[in-house]
Amino acid sequence: ETRASSLSKSVARLMAKIGADKCHLVAHSFTGIDARAAISLFDSDKQVSSLTTICTPHQGMTLIDKANDKQWLGTTEGLERVFEVLGISNSAVQEFTTHNIQAFNEVCHDSQSVSYYSIGAKKSGRTMNAMLRDGHDIIVNDTMGVQCDGLVQDIEARWGEYLLTFENDHLEVMGFCPEHNPANVMNVVSDNTRLSEIRSDPKLRYDFGVDHL
């Protein structure tokens, strides 16, 4: 709640500064949950037209569930650096168990005035960032059909209208890795945001001929 309240206040300050009435939020990873809470529980729905989340664990994290299993003999110590990069503590990560997020979803209802979109990612453990390989191995564990970005499964990242799954890991998808340009991800977000604006405006829908999109 502290993170969500802080985000809501930041949105309000920025909107007042630039003199805008509405904005489109884009959130990566854990921040996507904070953004949903800000919209639903802290009145940001009055200022947000759409929320697009990227690799956000909307259904909880199998990774944390497995790490908390007393019968599991592995460790997530190798992921501490990843959590640090993403700005979240090891203790705060515990909020994202499947059980906790299911409880969150039951009380954090989507706003009818906000459009929700989501994007996921997946990559082979052999080719993803070295910091994420432990997470990949914990999640996948040689199970056929399981796809993840090193922290979050693509099926866990779905909320609202799911746009697509990128062939990236959790850090690459937002440009945390210098060798990777996330322009393709941002282009999809930008194009979809513009389409969302057109859909919500009757005149623009008519002008662009997208009444049936």
Side-chain angles (χ1 to χ4, degrees):
E1 290 187 4
T2 300
R3 296 192 305 270
S5 176
S6 177
L7 176 59
S8 180
K9 292 174 182 176
S10 295
V11 170
R13 283 196 300 269
L14 179 59
M15 298 295 284
K17 181 178 181 179
I18 64 177
D21 295 324
K22 289 279 189 176
C23 69
H24 298 276
L25 282 186
V26 179
H28 172 243
S29 193
F30 305 105
T31 309
I33 299 296
D34 300 336
R36 281 178 52 204
I39 291 169
S40 300
L41 306 177
F42 293 95
D43 297 328
S44 287
D45 58 318
K46 296 179 177 64
Q47 297 168 312
V48 175
S49 292
S50 73
L51 169 64
T52 302
T53 57
I54 302 171
C55 299
T56 292
H58 293 292
Q59 311 304 327
M61 296 177 68
T62 299
L63 171 63
I64 305 303
D65 293 344
K66 288 188 175 182
N68 289 341
D69 187 341
K70 294 180 180 180
Q71 296 182 353
W72 184 65
L73 301 178
T75 177
T76 59
E77 289 182 3
L79 295 170
E80 290 182 0
R81 176 58 178 157
V82 178
F83 298 145
E84 181 181 340
V85 168
L86 295 172
I88 191 167
S89 66
N90 285 338
S91 58
V93 167
Q94 293 300 318
E95 298 174 17
F96 296 89
T97 62
T98 300
H99 173 78
N100 287 345
I101 293 299
Q102 285 178 348
F104 169 80
N105 290 340
E106 289 178 3
V107 299
C108 187
H109 303 294
D110 287 351
S111 169
Q112 295 299 312
S113 63
V114 177
S115 298
Y116 294 82
Y117 304 99
S118 55
I119 289 171
K122 63 182 177 68
K123 198 168 187 180
S124 165
R126 296 189 302 275
T127 59
M128 69 173 48
N129 187 291
M131 291 192 297
L132 292 166
R133 289 173 191 164
D134 285 347
H136 174 275
D137 292 345
I138 293 168
I139 295 169
V140 175
N141 194 27
D142 297 324
T143 303
M144 292 295 293
V146 175
Q147 301 179 143
C148 75
D149 60 13
L151 289 185
V152 179
Q153 292 186 62
D154 60 332
I155 59 172
E156 295 171 337
R158 297 169 186 258
W159 194 261
E161 181 180 341
Y162 190 72
L163 300 179
L164 76 165
T165 302
F166 280 98
E167 294 287 340
N168 296 121
D169 65 40
H170 198 84
L171 298 178
E172 283 178 343
V173 75
M174 286 300 289
F176 282 98
C177 304
E179 67 276 9
H180 181 76
N181 185 345
N184 58 335
V185 179
M186 293 300 100
N187 287 339
V188 167
V189 172
S190 177
D191 290 346
N192 186 70
T193 297
R194 180 54 177 158
L195 181 56
S196 176
E197 288 182 337
I198 294 171
R199 282 171 166 169
S200 64
D201 186 313
K203 184 179 184 304
L204 288 176
R205 286 204 309 269
Y206 178 80
D207 290 345
F208 284 87
V210 293
D211 283 319
H212 303 292
L213 290 182

